[in-house]
Amino acid sequence: MIRDEPSLSPFTRLGLQGDLADPRTKSFLYILDLLPREHLVKTLMECGYTFQEIMISPTSVGIPNSRLRYFLIAKISMEKISGTLPHPAESGSPEQLTVFSHSHSGTCQPGDKLQAGHVLYKLETTMDAQRKMNQNNDLTVRQIQEFLEPQTDVNMELYLLPPKTLLRYALILDIVKPTCRRSVCFTKGYGRYVEGTGSVLQCCMETEMEIVFKGLDQYSEEEKLQRLLKLKLRYFTPREVANLMGFPQSFCKSIPFLF
């Protein structure tokens, strides 16, 4: 599949991390140069702008994907900006302004509580597991199954994780089910890299994930693979990723970072 692959942002983890030295930042630096100070917020204050800084994610509007982004709204007026969220300094930490999404691989149903005998599989702490469970119990966020393509429209076999990926990265995969209400941020490396690039979907609901991962390191490679294959883990399709990023159905451009 031919795809257009624009270079990564100078500020992303997978990019070259050129920061302000990257030539693509020139447009932003030019805007700052038009103002009499180096630092944007300081300049806005000194120029008499009223402004608000907002941290917001798709989960804030009911979409089950974590993509926390910073927005700054400025107005050349001393009047208070209306119709926006309160300034973080007035309302507390950014977490109070948005819902952070994380992986939880349990049943993803309301009312779940982390029991004392809960099996901590993969690389997570008890606190991690409880936080993930809390996110999945947020009924203000829709379930992932509402954002999936019909099985008849796409050959899902093409999106299954290959055996090599399962064996090497099983313990760090962010696995979600159709009934979950969260997924992690998708990046340009999704489908080619694994760690920190986005969630994968468990398609077989008859197999309990805890049973698969419990004592997994005690088995041979072949046995590990057979256990992991039972989950039928697959990548989200380009259209599904677009859905989880909030793009409308009319958005037809191919997602460039997939496969």
Side-chain angles (χ1 to χ4, degrees):
M1 174 179 176
I2 298 176
R3 59 180 182 273
D4 174 30
E5 291 188 308
S7 53
L8 292 167
S9 164
F11 306 108
T12 59
R13 184 174 53 181
L14 291 178
L16 297 178
Q17 300 179 16
D19 202 77
L20 295 181
D22 192 299
R24 288 171 296 170
T25 64
K26 287 183 178 179
S27 58
F28 177 65
L29 294 177
Y30 175 70
I31 293 175
L32 294 185
D33 287 340
L34 293 178
L35 301 173
R37 292 291 183 267
E38 290 183 4
H39 302 293
L40 177 60
V41 171
K42 180 181 178 182
T43 300
L44 289 172
M45 294 177 64
E46 293 179 349
C47 290
Y49 279 84
T50 299
F51 69 94
Q52 290 183 324
E53 298 170 278
I54 301 170
M55 299 291 285
I56 195 167
S57 178
T59 51
S60 303
V61 291
I63 299 176
N65 182 248
S66 175
R67 190 174 175 81
L68 189 64
R69 289 295 181 266
Y70 167 83
F71 294 87
L72 187 147
I73 303 174
K75 182 178 181 181
I76 186 64
S77 169
M78 296 310 295
E79 298 178 4
K80 187 176 181 181
I81 300 176
S82 62
T84 58
L85 294 176
H87 192 284
E90 301 173 357
S91 61
S93 66
E95 286 127 311
Q96 293 176 302
L97 300 181
T98 187
V99 179
F100 292 88
S101 297
H102 297 279
S103 168
H104 169 56
S105 39
T107 61
C108 304
Q109 297 299 329
D112 288 341
K113 292 184 179 179
L114 193 62
Q115 303 298 324
H118 180 77
V119 178
L120 293 179
Y121 50 91
K122 304 200 298 181
L123 304 178
E124 63 180 17
T125 65
T126 302
M127 185 178 295
D128 290 333
Q130 186 64 64
R131 184 181 65 249
K132 295 170 185 179
M133 185 173 293
N134 292 340
Q135 295 302 322
N136 277 307
N137 289 338
D138 185 355
L139 299 183
T140 66
V141 179
R142 295 151 65 189
Q143 294 183 337
I144 285 178
Q145 58 190 359
E146 297 182 43
F147 298 81
L148 301 180
E149 290 193 87
Q151 296 287 324
T152 55
D153 291 358
V154 181
N155 182 4
M156 296 303 176
E157 295 291 323
L158 298 176
Y159 295 92
L160 291 174
L161 272 66
K164 185 177 180 180
T165 299
L166 290 173
L167 287 173
R168 184 173 181 180
Y169 297 106
L171 295 180
I172 63 170
L173 289 173
D174 185 78
I175 303 171
V176 296
K177 296 180 180 181
T179 52
C180 285
R181 300 178 185 274
R182 35 71 46 209
S183 60
V184 298
C185 178
F186 296 100
T187 73
K188 184 179 186 294
Y190 188 65
R192 292 181 292 124
Y193 302 102
V194 178
E195 186 172 6
T197 60
S199 303
V200 296
L201 184 68
Q202 177 184 344
C203 296
C204 180
M205 299 299 100
E206 290 74 29
T207 303
E208 291 291 335
M209 195 180 305
E210 290 193 3
I211 295 177
V212 170
F213 279 91
K214 185 176 181 180
L216 189 64
D217 58 345
Q218 301 174 9
Y219 296 92
S220 66
E221 274 203 356
E222 182 58 32
E223 290 173 319
K224 286 181 184 178
L225 180 58
Q226 292 307 313
R227 292 171 70 89
L228 292 168
L229 286 173
K230 293 179 180 179
L231 296 173
K232 291 188 177 180
L233 302 178
R234 72 165 176 87
Y235 293 108
F236 286 89
T237 70
R239 178 64 255 175
E240 291 168 346
V241 172
N243 293 342
L244 289 168
M245 286 184 169
F247 287 98
Q249 289 297 317
S250 59
F251 181 78
C252 299
K253 182 179 179 181
S254 176
I255 305 300
F257 51 79
L258 290 174
F259 317 105

